[in-house]
Amino acid sequence: MRPSDDELRLLMAEYQQGSEEAFRELYMRTAAPIERCVRRWSDSERAADLTQEAFLQIHRARRTYRPDSPLLPWMLAVARHVALQYVRTRGRRITEAHSDEAMLDAAVDSGEAALLARHDLNEALKELPEDQREALWLTEIEGFSSAEIARITGASEGAVRVRVTRARQKLRKVMEPAR
């Protein structure tokens, strides 16, 4: 369950005033979505380091946060920037395997039937362009609105809605049983 944005904003205000306790609580409530975000562009081992780097950047930029904006999308935009910077500096391409693994880990439980569904979904996700996979993940797995996703990705709200719609259409087409 996503933490309440009102609660996060209050914690951030306290953190901006120097409260270490507020930072600890903010970290506890937001570390999981930030790690899921950076995991899309890295392996599981590197994701923990990138999560810490994202929090370091959040710490450095904390004074620039505007309290009238939702906090978690702002934090995820910072995390996304950290992850993409890692990809660029390492000369690595964003791999479908890591992106799909992060989405599937968040979406599918274990078990034999779930493993089959996971395989089918994994194959279907490979058919989507990266921008559509990202928009779908942020909508379906993280539960963000188009406006929040636009803040995270830098795309317009309209572009986000188009990406999600196209991703859903393509997944339906790919996943529907052969007739």
Side-chain angles (χ1 to χ4, degrees):
M1 186 172 115
R2 270 185 40 202
S4 157
D5 195 63
D6 289 337
E7 293 170 355
L8 293 180
R9 285 187 217 195
L10 288 173
L11 288 170
M12 184 59 154
E14 291 175 26
Y15 175 44
Q16 287 176 317
Q17 298 300 316
S19 170
E20 289 180 30
E21 181 58 37
F23 172 75
R24 278 193 287 279
E25 186 65 27
L26 195 60
Y27 180 87
M28 295 299 294
R29 293 180 185 206
T30 60
I34 288 175
E35 185 171 345
R36 284 192 303 269
C37 177
V38 298
R39 188 177 295 182
R40 297 192 74 242
W41 291 281
S42 67
D43 55 43
S44 296
E45 294 170 12
R46 187 67 182 139
D49 291 338
L50 289 173
T51 300
Q52 296 307 310
E53 178 65 26
F55 273 101
L56 179 61
Q57 294 304 320
I58 288 165
H59 172 74
R60 289 179 178 155
R62 73 188 179 281
R63 302 267 185 245
T64 66
Y65 169 71
R66 292 186 344 254
D68 58 332
S69 299
L71 180 61
L72 191 55
W74 179 81
M75 293 175 82
L76 289 173
V78 172
R80 181 178 188 265
H81 176 77
V82 166
L84 291 174
Q85 194 64 28
Y86 166 74
V87 170
R88 284 185 206 110
T89 59
R90 299 299 184 265
R92 293 172 40 165
R93 294 182 59 222
I94 298 172
T95 64
E96 291 177 351
H98 295 284
S99 174
D100 296 344
E101 179 183 316
M103 186 183 294
L104 291 168
D105 285 347
V108 181
D109 297 325
S110 62
E112 191 173 324
L115 286 176
L116 290 174
R118 180 183 174 136
H119 174 74
D120 291 345
L121 182 57
N122 188 25
E123 292 304 309
L125 288 169
K126 288 179 183 178
E127 300 292 321
L128 298 177
E130 174 59 31
D131 62 341
Q132 290 178 11
R133 267 198 310 269
E134 179 179 40
L136 186 68
W137 174 68
L138 289 169
T139 300
E140 299 298 331
I141 305 305
E142 296 297 334
F144 288 108
S145 69
S146 296
E148 292 170 322
I149 296 169
R151 285 187 199 104
I152 294 167
T153 64
S156 70
E157 285 184 56
V160 168
R161 286 190 294 273
V162 167
R163 290 173 186 174
V164 171
T165 299
R166 289 183 179 163
R168 287 177 179 152
Q169 289 170 344
K170 186 141 192 176
L171 279 179
R172 272 194 289 278
K173 183 178 174 186
V174 171
M175 299 279 299
E176 88 182 6
R179 294 177 195 206

